[in-house]
Amino acid sequence: MNGRTDNQGELFSLDSPLLTEVRGERSLMAYPFFALTKTAWKKSLVYKTDTVSIEIGPGPRGVATIYDKEVLLYIASLLAAKSDAGEPVSQDFYFTAHDLFRVTGVNSSSRSYTRLSDALERLQGTQIKTNIEAGGEGETGFFSWLSEARLQYTKTKSGDQRLKAVRVRLCDWLYRAILRDREVLGYSPTYFQIGPVERRLYEVARASCAPGPVEIDIEELRLQLGYQNSLKHFRHALKKIADEDTIPDYRITMSESADKPEVKRPGRRAGLTKVTILPKTTEPVC
C-alpha cells in the first residue's frame, strides 16, 4: 500500500506498511557491526581475522546498537519486498514510525519515539570501515549506515508536534549488498523478543545457513558476536542461554575440547570450550 503525504507537496510516497517477513543482509548477520547494549556505547569496536576487517567508530551519541539495527532490518525488508515485486527502488525511504513499531513489537509511547530519534542519530553518526565487499565493490573510507535521517512532523492547532513520517537515505554499501548480492535471509518473528546476545547468536547461526551443526571455539564465537566482556563472563552467559534454550530455530551446546593449546597462557583454559550450533529441525532453514 502506498500513501501520499498531505503537506509535503505530494513529493514523497510512503514505503510502509511492511507486508512481508523481516529480512536482513547476510554480512550484517555474520559479523559484529553493532554494540550489544541498550545504552550508549562510546568506544570504538574492532573485529579482525585473516580475511575480515571491521572498524566501528562512535558518533556524538555513540555506536549504533543491536536495537538500533531494527531500523535497518525494517528498511532492508522494505527494499527487498519492493525489489521482489518489481517496483522501482532507491536508497531513499519514507515510512511511518507506527509501522516500524508494529513490525518490531514496540509500543507507540512517547518514550519509543524518543528512542527512535536517538537510534536514527546513532545510525547516521556511527562510522564504519570494512574490507567486506558489497555488490562487487569495496570501500576504503568510512561510511555511515544512514547518510540522511529525519523525523518529519506536522503541528496541531494547539501547536503540538505530531510525527508524520520517517525519512532516511540508506548507505551505498548496504544498498548494493541487498540489491546486487541478494544475500538476504528471513528472520524469525520472535527475534525482536529476545536479548542482545541471543539476537547475535541467532544471527550467526542463521548466517551459517547449514542444515547440520556448526562447531566453533568459544573465543572465536565471542569475538564474532562482538561480546565486549571477558571470556569467563561470556562462557557463563552462554551456558545460561544454552540451558534455557532461548535461541529461535537453533540449539546451542557446549563441550570441552580434547585439544591442548601449544602455549599455556593465563585464562586459556576457557578457550578449550567448543560451541556447537545446530538447527532444531532437520529441515534446512536457508
Side-chain angles (χ1 to χ4, degrees), residues 18-25 29 69-78 80-81 99-100 102-105 184-192 202-203 206:
L18 177 64
L19 302 178
T20 60
E21 66 178 351
V22 173
R23 288 181 278 180
E25 199 277 328
M29 286 182 166
K69 185 179 182 178
E70 294 176 358
V71 178
L72 292 186
L73 291 178
Y74 180 80
I75 296 170
S77 303
L78 288 172
D99 193 56
L100 170 65
R102 173 187 66 83
V103 170
T104 57
V184 181
L185 303 174
Y187 273 69
S188 167
T190 59
Y191 169 84
F192 299 107
Y202 171 80
E203 289 180 329
R206 188 73 180 92

Side-chain angles (χ1 to χ4, degrees), residues 65-138:
T65 72
I66 192 71
Y67 293 96
D68 301 336
K69 185 179 182 178
E70 294 176 358
V71 178
L72 292 186
L73 291 178
Y74 180 80
I75 296 170
S77 303
L78 288 172
L79 176 57
K82 292 179 71 175
S83 178
D84 290 347
E87 299 179 15
V89 295
S90 74
Q91 291 172 251
D92 297 300
F93 291 85
Y94 193 72
F95 58 89
T96 65
H98 180 271
D99 193 56
L100 170 65
F101 295 156
R102 173 187 66 83
V103 170
T104 57
V106 175
N107 60 57
S108 300
S109 65
S110 58
R111 188 175 183 182
S112 296
Y113 286 100
T114 300
R115 287 177 176 174
L116 173 58
S117 178
D118 291 343
L120 292 173
E121 288 192 34
R122 281 189 291 269
L123 289 168
Q124 188 175 15
T126 297
Q127 296 292 295
I128 306 101
K129 185 177 182 180
T130 180
N131 66 348
I132 299 175
E133 295 182 352
E137 298 180 26

Side-chain angles (χ1 to χ4, degrees), residues 204-205 208-216 251 253 274-279:
V204 170
S208 68
C209 208
V214 175
E215 186 179 77
I216 184 172
R251 182 174 292 108
T253 64
K274 295 292 184 179
V275 180
T276 301
I277 306 173
L278 65 161

